[in-house]
């Protein structure tokens, strides 16, 4: 099981935008991000987030991005699903070739379905607001 780098950076970007509470452009975000975030990658992630309604995008001089909703209304699942397919986070190692597959295969696949369900439930219960509060607490400690 793995969360992609794209999802991880998307979460970091959303935290940084949420901290700003104003319109910011991609260069500002990259500059503020302590993790070395390539500008082109950030721009792709920002475009995905805007396309999926998580961010509002503004063009031209003074353009940039801002949150489309309050931080208490945005979940980590919203962010991850805007840039990746959360179901791809778990790669099932046992492919089902036919309907007559062995009981072991079906049992193993059931395990992955349960894990994916729990992961999805957890991501839906974590709000961007909570991540921002945690970030502030860690930075002020």
């Amino acid at each position: 099981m793995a969360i992609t780098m794209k999802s991880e950076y998307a979460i970091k970007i959303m935290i940084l935008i949420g901290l700003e509470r104003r319109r910011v452009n991609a260069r500002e975000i990259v500059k503020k991000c302590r993790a070395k975030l390539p500008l082109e990658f950030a721009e792709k992630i920002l475009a995905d987030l805007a396309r999926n309604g998580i961010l509002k995008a503004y063009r031209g001089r003074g353009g940039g991005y801002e949150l489309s909703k309050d931080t208490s209304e945005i979940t980590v699942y919203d962010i991850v699903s805007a840039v990746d397919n959360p179901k791809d986070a778990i790669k099932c190692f046992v492919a089902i070739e036919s309907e007559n597959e062995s009981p072991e295969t079906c049992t193993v696949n059931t395990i992955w379905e349960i894990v994916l369900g729990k992961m999805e439930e957890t991501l839906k219960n974590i709000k961007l607001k909570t991540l921002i509060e945690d970030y502030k607490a860690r930075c002020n400690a």
Side-chain angles (χ1 to χ4, degrees):
M1 178 170 77
I3 297 292
T4 68
M5 287 299 291
K6 191 173 184 183
S7 288
E8 186 174 329
Y9 278 128
I11 295 166
K12 291 175 183 179
I13 286 169
M14 290 296 292
I15 291 169
L16 295 171
I17 293 172
L19 283 165
E20 290 297 315
R21 296 198 174 271
R22 65 177 177 87
R23 189 178 305 169
V24 292
N25 64 43
R27 289 191 190 283
E28 289 176 283
I29 294 165
V30 168
K31 192 174 181 181
K32 289 183 182 300
C33 188
R34 293 180 188 174
K36 303 291 183 206
L37 174 60
L39 180 61
E40 284 184 23
F41 195 35
E43 289 171 337
K44 287 178 184 176
I45 292 169
L46 289 162
D48 285 344
L49 291 166
R51 192 178 314 100
N52 285 285
I54 307 296
L55 295 175
K56 292 180 191 172
Y58 300 89
R59 293 181 178 213
R61 190 176 181 138
Y65 300 88
E66 64 186 17
L67 300 177
S68 63
K69 304 177 199 172
D70 188 76
T71 58
S72 63
E73 298 175 41
I74 300 170
T75 68
V76 173
Y77 184 83
D78 295 333
I79 298 166
V80 171
S81 61
V83 299
D84 277 323
N85 181 353
K87 294 185 186 332
D88 288 343
I90 294 180
K91 302 293 183 201
C92 184
F93 298 108
V94 183
I96 295 178
E97 303 296 329
S98 71
E99 291 181 26
N100 298 330
E101 205 55 53
S102 70
E104 302 87 40
T105 301
C106 295
T107 302
V108 170
N109 284 343
T110 300
I111 294 167
W112 295 128
E113 288 172 9
I114 292 167
V115 170
L116 179 61
K118 294 292 183 186
M119 184 180 85
E120 213 171 281
E121 179 184 326
T122 300
L123 295 178
K124 286 179 178 178
N125 285 313
I126 302 171
K127 305 288 185 187
L128 179 59
K129 180 179 182 175
T130 304
L131 297 179
I132 292 168
E133 289 167 355
D134 184 53
Y135 178 93
K136 288 177 181 178
R138 289 175 189 270
C139 288
N140 294 332

